[in-house]
Amino acid sequence: MISEEQARARILEKISPLGKQAVPLAGALDCFAAEDYFARLPLPAFDNSAMDGYAVVASSCKKGGLLRVIGEQPAGPDRKLRVSVGEAVRIFTGATLPQGADAIVMQEDVTPHGTDIRVNVDVDAGDFVRRRGCDLAEGQMILAKGERIRASTVALLASQGLADVIVGGKATAAVISTGDELVKPGEELQSGQIYDSNSVLLNALLLRCGVSAIAVEHCPDNRQSLAEAIKRGIKNHVLVISGGVSVGEHDLVKEALCELGAKIEIWRVAVKPGKPFLFGNIAECFVFGLPGNPVSAFVTFLQFVRPAILRMMGAMNLDLPQVPAKLAVGLTNDGDRPHYIRGRLKHEKFTPIGRQESHALFGLSQANALLRVAVGQSLEADEIVNVQIWDW
Ligand code: AMP
Ligand code: MG
C-alpha cells in the first residue's frame, strides 16, 4: 500500500495536458487558458461619462450659475463636440467626453432653464468622468495560462474584441457503476437492493471538473459484462469505475482490467476513506477504480481523479481551494491512514458532521468541507486548521 502523497504524485506524473484548441467564448466556461492573454485595448477605451448629465468645464461652474447647453452626446459614435467656458453638453452614461470637458454634472443636480441649465452643486474636475485606462491598461495581463475561465473572464475577453479563446483540451469520461445490488433511481427496489447513487455522484463531480462528455452505465458483478463495459469506456480519456475494487470474491474490476491488458499503477492507498483505490491505464485511457462506498468514492475522486482531469485540461492549480477555519472540537487520528473528516464550515468554524464512516451519505450531504487529519496528528478545539472546500 502506498501513501496518499505517492499515489497523487504517481498519477500526476503519468498525465500530460491534452492538445490546445480555440473555442468560442460561449463554450469556454470552466476551460483553462492555454496561453497568456494581454490587454489589446485599455478599459475604458476612451474618457467617458459615468452618469446621465452634463459635460462641463469644472473651472467655469459656480454653484447656482447658468450654463448654455450647446449639444448632445449619447453613448455611441463620437460627435466630436467641444465644450467651452460657460457651456455644457447634454451627455449620457458611457458617452465619450466632449473635447474641453473635464467633469460631469449629474442631471439630478441641475435645473433646466429653457436652453440653459442652473448648476445646483459645486463641481470639481474629474467628477463622474471615467478616464481611459483607469480600470485596465493596454498590455496588462488579463488571463494567465492555466487559469480557469469564469463568467467574468469571458466578459473581459469579449471586452477586448476576442470571439475565441485558446484553451486546453476538453477531457471526455465514462463512468461504470458496478454491483449486483444496484437499482436505477426511479425503478422498484427489492429487498437487499439499494439505489445506485454513485453514478449520479460521479457524473456531477466530473461535470464540475469541466469534463465535456460523460457516458454513464451500470454493470453487474460479472466478468463478461464488466469487460464489455470497460471496452466501451476506454474510448474516452478517463474511465471511472465505482465499486468492485476491494478484496471480496465479487470484486472483479482489477481482474477484468488486467485481462484487457491494463497496466495497474496503483492499487490500495493509505487514505481513509478510500483504501481500495485503483489507478492504471489501458492504452491511452486512464482508469480510476473507486471504492463503492459513496463517501470513499467522493473523497478519492476529489483527491486523485480531480487533479488528474484538471491537469489534462491544462489547469495550473490542481488543489482544492483551502480556507482557514477554527476547529469546533478536538480530533486525534490514532489510525494508520490520513483521515478526511467531513464537516460543516460556517462562520469560519469547522464542525465535523454525521457518521465518519464511508457509507454515511447523509452526513456527507450535510458537509461542505474536508479536514485532513494526518496519522498521529492531534488537533485541539479552537485550533486554526486549513479545510478543503469542493464547491469551487
Ligand atoms: P464495493 O466497493 O463494490 O465493495 O461496495 C462497497 C459498498 O458500497 C457496498 O455497501 C455497496 O453496496 C456500496 N455501493 C457500491 N456501489 C454503489 C453505488 N453505485 N451507489 C451506492 N452504493 C454503492
Ligand atoms: Mg460491489
Side-chain angles (χ1 to χ4, degrees), residues 14-319:
K14 293 276 162 205
I15 289 180
S16 40
L18 303 170
K20 56 188 177 180
Q21 60 191 87
V23 297
L25 294 187
L29 193 66
D30 288 335
C31 293
F32 296 90
E35 292 177 1
D36 292 335
Y37 280 83
F38 300 89
R40 318 194 294 186
L41 292 172
L43 288 181
F46 48 87
D47 293 350
N48 70 88
S49 175
M51 291 289 169
D52 292 333
Y54 294 85
V56 298
V57 181
S59 60
S60 82
C61 292
K62 257 209 338 252
K63 191 170 172 180
L66 287 175
L67 296 174
R68 195 156 55 84
V69 180
I70 56 139
E72 182 174 302
Q73 174 64 67
D78 184 355
R79 292 183 177 172
K80 309 265 189 227
L81 300 176
R82 167 174 283 280
V83 186
S84 305
V85 168
E87 293 177 343
V89 164
R90 178 71 172 125
I91 197 164
F92 300 90
T93 306
T96 188
L97 203 67
Q99 285 179 44
D102 61 1
I104 305 295
V105 186
M106 280 203 289
Q107 70 183 44
E108 292 88 334
D109 291 335
V110 308
T111 316
H113 275 267
T115 56
D116 289 354
I117 50 163
R118 184 178 301 285
V119 177
N120 301 322
V121 290
D122 290 320
V123 181
D124 290 317
D127 283 358
F128 305 114
V129 173
R130 307 195 285 213
R131 286 289 172 206
R132 174 185 150 91
C134 70
D135 178 26
L136 172 70
E138 214 176 314
Q140 203 175 323
M141 185 181 270
I142 54 171
L143 176 64
K145 182 177 172 180
E147 211 178 297
R148 188 166 69 88
I149 295 178
R150 301 172 296 152
S152 54
T153 321
V154 288
L156 183 60
L157 293 168
S159 81
Q160 298 296 307
L162 296 170
D164 301 320
V165 55
I166 313 284
V167 297
K170 286 204 175 197
T172 67
V175 173
I176 304 172
S177 160
T178 74
D180 287 339
E181 72 280 31
L182 301 178
V183 175
K184 207 173 171 174
E187 290 176 6
E188 208 174 316
L189 211 56
Q190 307 294 324
S191 159
Q193 295 183 318
I194 60 166
Y195 284 118
D196 173 3
S197 58
N198 285 351
S199 286
V200 287
L201 171 75
L202 296 169
N203 185 63
L205 289 169
L206 286 162
L207 281 175
R208 258 301 150 82
C209 292
V211 167
S212 56
I214 308 166
V216 183
E217 64 174 297
H218 167 252
C219 183
D221 292 315
N222 160 311
R223 209 171 299 173
Q224 187 58 33
S225 319
L226 256 177
E228 274 151 30
I230 292 169
K231 279 191 227 159
R232 284 187 288 275
I234 58 173
K235 293 178 184 146
N236 296 280
H237 297 112
V238 173
L239 169 60
V240 182
I241 305 177
S242 141
V245 283
S246 200
V247 291
E249 275 91 282
H250 300 280
D251 295 324
L252 307 170
V253 167
K254 191 159 162 273
E255 278 172 52
L257 287 169
C258 289
E259 278 166 21
L260 291 170
K263 182 153 188 286
I264 308 293
E265 291 285 340
I266 299 169
W267 181 52
R268 291 158 59 87
V269 177
V271 62
K272 185 179 176 181
K275 185 163 74 175
F277 174 81
L278 174 150
F279 168 73
N281 69 288
I282 298 183
E284 304 290 291
C285 176
F286 293 103
V287 183
F288 297 86
L290 312 188
N293 274 309
V295 184
S296 311
F298 181 82
V299 168
T300 50
F301 184 96
L302 290 185
Q303 304 307 325
F304 303 123
V305 187
R306 179 182 183 270
I309 290 177
L310 294 191
R311 168 153 293 175
M312 268 182 207
M313 294 180 52
M316 219 32 154
N317 183 3
L318 308 180
D319 297 330

Side-chain angles (χ1 to χ4, degrees), residues 366-387:
Q366 302 304 293
N368 62 356
L370 287 176
L371 170 62
R372 184 184 190 275
V373 187
V375 174
Q377 193 175 18
S378 235
L379 296 165
E380 286 176 20
D382 291 339
E383 197 168 316
I384 303 295
V385 292
N386 277 326
V387 297

Side-chain angles (χ1 to χ4, degrees), residues 295-376:
V295 184
S296 311
F298 181 82
V299 168
T300 50
F301 184 96
L302 290 185
Q303 304 307 325
F304 303 123
V305 187
R306 179 182 183 270
I309 290 177
L310 294 191
R311 168 153 293 175
M312 268 182 207
M313 294 180 52
M316 219 32 154
N317 183 3
L318 308 180
D319 297 330
L320 283 167
Q322 293 219 3
V323 288
K326 190 182 256 198
L327 189 55
V329 293
L331 290 171
T332 299
N333 183 358
D334 297 326
D336 57 359
R337 292 174 282 156
H339 192 179
Y340 283 91
I341 304 286
R342 284 76 71 192
R344 184 99 203 136
L345 176 66
K346 200 173 174 191
H347 304 314
E348 286 142 42
K349 188 167 181 171
F350 177 86
T351 313
I353 193 160
R355 299 183 71 85
Q356 298 293 330
E357 291 172 78
S358 56
H359 63 93
L361 179 56
F362 177 66
L364 177 67
S365 77
Q366 302 304 293
N368 62 356
L370 287 176
L371 170 62
R372 184 184 190 275
V373 187
V375 174

